[in-house]
Amino acid sequence: MTPLIIYDDTMKKREAIREVIGDRGFADVVIRKKTLASYYEEAVRRVVPQAKWQVLRSVYEVPELSQQLRKAPLDARVLHCFADVMVTDTEQAGLTWQKLSFIEEPYRVVADGQCVAVMFPRLADYLAFLERVRPDRTTRAAAEGIAPAMPIEGTLDISRTETFIQCITGNFDARYFNSVHGGDITLVKSSTNRRKIRAEYTYYQLLPDDMKMWFVQPFDYQEDAQTASYRMEHLHITDLAIKWVHGAIAPADFPAVLDSYFTFFRSRHARPVAREAYQKTADALYVEKVRRRIAELKALPQYQKIAAILQATDGSTIDALADRYFRLKARIEARQAYPLVSVIGHGDPCFANTLYHHPTQMMKFIDPRGALDEQELWTDPYYDVAKLSHSICGNYDFFNNGLFDIKIDAGFRCQLVIDFDRAPYVKLFRAALEENGYDYLTVRIYEASLFLSMLPLHIDNPHKVFGFLLNARDILEEVERDAQ
């Protein structure tokens, strides 16, 4: 007998949750690079490994599901589980799921008074249940007609807004040396890289008062022989990266996001600098760092395999890619007369470091580059803008969430595949750049430098590193076409 598992994603989302993930169902919510459906399926299959899995996305699919299941064995047992429930403890939940093999009548599975699943001993029982589902009567409402109930432990109701926000904002893209944990009121960020944590904490203290409003305030700095930490308010607001990869930011809403960003960019304190000082800062960011990071990549044992794939599928090398970058950079910069100023920058205001509440248009930044003295606050005016560009134009957050693929086309050339149309957003971003005095091609060429510079930092995921290489290639090709 092969059990059937129906993962029910038909329930309506609350408006506050829709604001975070858009039109996607709970099944497609991505947390730590996997969908909630994947987590649930993996958990259930530990108990019923041979089960047949199917996702139900609309009550209008119920008649088709019923017709399809009439071909299944009559003695098939069915677990109908609701997608607005997350498994937090597989072992505990599994104790209840194991009972699927022994029940003699349908049972509601409940946690804290909420029906989280329904178990059926026979296919006929399940088909009778589906007959009670209509467009005006949800699957959960139909389940309430089943009297026998059994409890389950190890699940979490994520239909509640606060619980959902807490769940999805647990997706901190912390490096191996970082740890973020806490409760409802505050979060604690700690790391064995004590200098980094101290610099992030000190950065806020060094900021001019009129810029502090843009940042989540760190406090309670602690340091011992191994780690350093600070505490910050837990705002329960999702970052823009979560909204972006879930398609929750419509083009019509994007100008408000850009307006907040460019208001921040204009609010950064600026000071004039000599041409030599300006060039020194720019070279450190866009030349020396690229060369240093490429050298670090070449020194890693994984590099030879990455280089071989790049050569075989693209006929190129990392050195050729870097040379192309430097040539285009020189060509674009020669066309511009950049203002000789330095600004107080965040250092990485990408979507993942930007908390944004759409109804109030409140924007707060986290995880700044850091500074231990006043001089370290200052940077090139384009750097923060390029960091924003690598989220908008460069698909950075899709890479971070594993939402990309690499395929070989008919010409045996590797191509990135990302299921997202960035064109309307890039158009709006380009207009905002021009309105605020930034050169689009300069922003894009500096964006390419970011992907080249990140290569050795993500070597724990070679697939991602190769994706960054292809992305840098594609950016350079776009810039080259636009520069003609």
Side-chain angles (χ1 to χ4, degrees):
M1 177 192 68
T2 301
L4 305 176
I5 303 172
I6 308 300
Y7 187 71
D8 182 349
D9 196 18
T10 65
M11 58 286 305
K12 185 178 179 181
K13 303 187 298 291
R14 301 187 188 195
E15 189 60 35
I17 295 177
R18 183 179 292 276
E19 192 262 325
V20 175
I21 63 174
D23 293 331
R24 295 189 181 215
F26 288 103
D28 297 320
V29 171
V30 178
I31 299 179
R32 297 192 184 278
K33 305 179 183 180
K34 290 199 302 187
T35 63
L36 288 180
S38 297
Y39 282 116
Y40 206 112
E41 182 178 3
E42 290 175 6
V44 175
R45 286 193 184 281
R46 292 184 185 180
V47 180
V48 280
Q50 304 304 319
K52 182 179 179 181
W53 173 271
Q54 185 165 340
V55 179
L56 179 66
R57 297 185 181 275
S58 168
V59 291
Y60 293 101
E61 296 177 1
V62 168
E64 181 182 348
L65 176 63
S66 296
Q67 190 66 28
Q68 174 189 333
L69 292 182
R70 293 183 189 280
K71 302 175 185 178
L74 294 178
D75 60 347
R77 293 174 180 266
V78 183
L79 170 63
H80 184 105
C81 42
F82 295 104
D84 57 357
V85 175
M86 185 177 181
V87 179
T88 57
D89 190 317
T90 302
E91 289 188 7
Q92 284 191 331
L95 293 175
T96 298
W97 293 331
Q98 287 173 358
K99 297 175 183 178
L100 178 64
S101 299
F102 305 103
I103 59 173
E104 295 297 331
E105 59 181 323
Y107 274 87
R108 282 184 299 118
V109 180
V110 297
D112 297 325
Q114 171 84 313
C115 178
V116 303
V118 192
M119 296 195 295
F120 300 88
R122 291 169 295 276
L123 182 61
D125 296 319
Y126 185 60
L127 293 174
F129 161 75
L130 292 181
E131 288 293 327
R132 298 197 296 272
V133 178
R134 301 184 301 272
D136 60 344
R137 191 185 191 197
T138 66
T139 49
R140 185 169 268 133
E144 294 302 326
I146 298 173
M150 68 174 69
I152 188 172
E153 301 289 338
T155 64
L156 181 67
D157 177 8
I158 57 172
S159 67
R160 302 171 186 172
T161 302
E162 275 301 303
T163 306
F164 179 81
I165 297 297
Q166 289 179 27
C167 168
I168 201 167
T169 54
N171 185 23
F172 297 98
D173 185 33
R175 295 285 187 264
Y176 61 91
F177 49 77
N178 279 345
S179 174
V180 183
H181 58 278
D184 292 344
I185 306 300
T186 63
L187 295 173
V188 177
K189 182 173 182 180
S190 62
S191 171
T192 55
N193 188 336
R194 291 177 296 169
R195 187 189 189 282
K196 174 179 171 60
I197 295 297
R198 185 166 64 252
E200 289 181 8
Y201 174 80
T202 307
Y203 171 90
Y204 184 88
Q205 320 307 320
L206 294 170
L207 276 177
D209 287 344
D210 61 340
M211 287 187 66
K212 290 181 177 179
M213 61 172 284
W214 291 99
F215 295 82
V216 178
Q217 178 182 358
F219 60 93
D220 190 25
Y221 178 79
Q222 303 286 335
E223 184 174 339
D224 58 31
Q226 285 79 39
T227 63
S229 68
Y230 60 78
R231 193 177 296 272
M232 54 187 167
E233 182 182 3
H234 192 176
L235 293 177
H236 299 293
I237 300 173
T238 56
D239 62 58
L240 275 169
I242 291 173
K243 296 179 172 70
W244 188 252
V245 300
H246 286 100
I249 304 175
D253 299 325
F254 199 50
V257 176
L258 290 175
D259 184 62
S260 293
Y261 262 112
F262 281 94
T263 301
F264 166 68
F265 293 149
R266 291 192 299 271
S267 78
R268 298 177 302 176
H269 284 214
R271 66 184 183 187
V273 293
R275 183 172 299 278
E276 294 78 9
Y278 179 90
Q279 196 61 52
K280 182 179 179 181
T281 299
D283 286 348
L285 292 171
Y286 311 123
V287 178
E288 295 165 13
K289 184 164 76 169
V290 172
R291 288 175 173 158
R292 183 175 68 254
R293 294 283 177 76
I294 287 177
E296 291 173 7
L297 177 67
K298 288 181 174 181
L300 297 171
Q302 298 94 328
Y303 171 71
Q304 293 303 324
K305 290 184 179 179
I306 294 172
I309 297 173
L310 184 65
Q311 178 66 51
T313 61
D314 209 58
S316 185
T317 65
I318 185 68
D319 290 327
L321 202 61
D323 289 343
R324 188 178 191 181
Y325 160 72
F326 287 122
R327 286 197 306 271
L328 271 173
K329 174 179 173 295
R331 181 176 161 192
I332 289 166
E333 289 176 335
R335 300 178 177 183
Q336 299 294 318
Y338 302 106
L340 299 179
V341 297
S342 183
V343 301
I344 295 178
H346 174 284
D348 192 8
C350 62
F351 284 166
N353 290 335
T354 308
L355 307 181
Y356 185 75
H357 185 239
H358 175 68
T360 61
Q361 296 182 13
M362 182 181 75
M363 180 174 284
K364 292 283 186 179
F365 296 109
I366 58 173
D367 293 351
R369 176 186 59 182
L372 292 176
D373 57 47
E374 194 268 346
Q375 180 58 36
E376 291 184 349
L377 292 173
W378 300 88
T379 189
D380 179 75
Y382 270 84
Y383 193 73
D384 279 357
V385 185
K387 283 285 189 174
L388 173 58
S389 183
H390 91 321
S391 277
I392 298 172
C393 305
N395 293 314
Y396 173 69
D397 303 290
F398 288 90
F399 288 104
N400 259 2
N401 286 279
L403 299 174
F404 73 101
D405 200 359
I406 299 172
K407 295 187 177 180
I408 298 178
D409 64 18
F412 289 94
R413 191 173 192 242
C414 277
Q415 299 289 355
L416 279 172
V417 180
I418 296 174
D419 185 19
F420 181 74
D421 180 15
R422 60 187 173 92
Y425 302 93
V426 173
K427 182 178 180 180
L428 291 167
F429 178 56
R430 186 166 188 167
L433 288 173
E434 293 172 357
E435 182 181 341
N436 287 274
Y438 293 96
D439 175 60
Y440 174 73
L441 291 183
T442 299
V443 171
R444 294 306 310 278
I445 197 67
Y446 291 164
E447 177 196 326
S449 80
L450 299 177
F451 283 99
L452 292 172
S453 297
M454 288 189 290
L455 297 174
L457 304 182
H458 296 264
I459 200 60
D460 58 312
N461 186 347
H463 185 253
K464 186 176 180 181
V465 171
F466 193 66
F468 280 169
L469 273 171
L470 297 179
N471 204 42
R473 177 203 68 186
D474 292 348
I475 293 170
L476 293 176
E477 290 179 354
E478 289 180 30
V479 170
E480 200 159 31
R481 286 194 299 268
D482 278 0
Q484 292 177 353

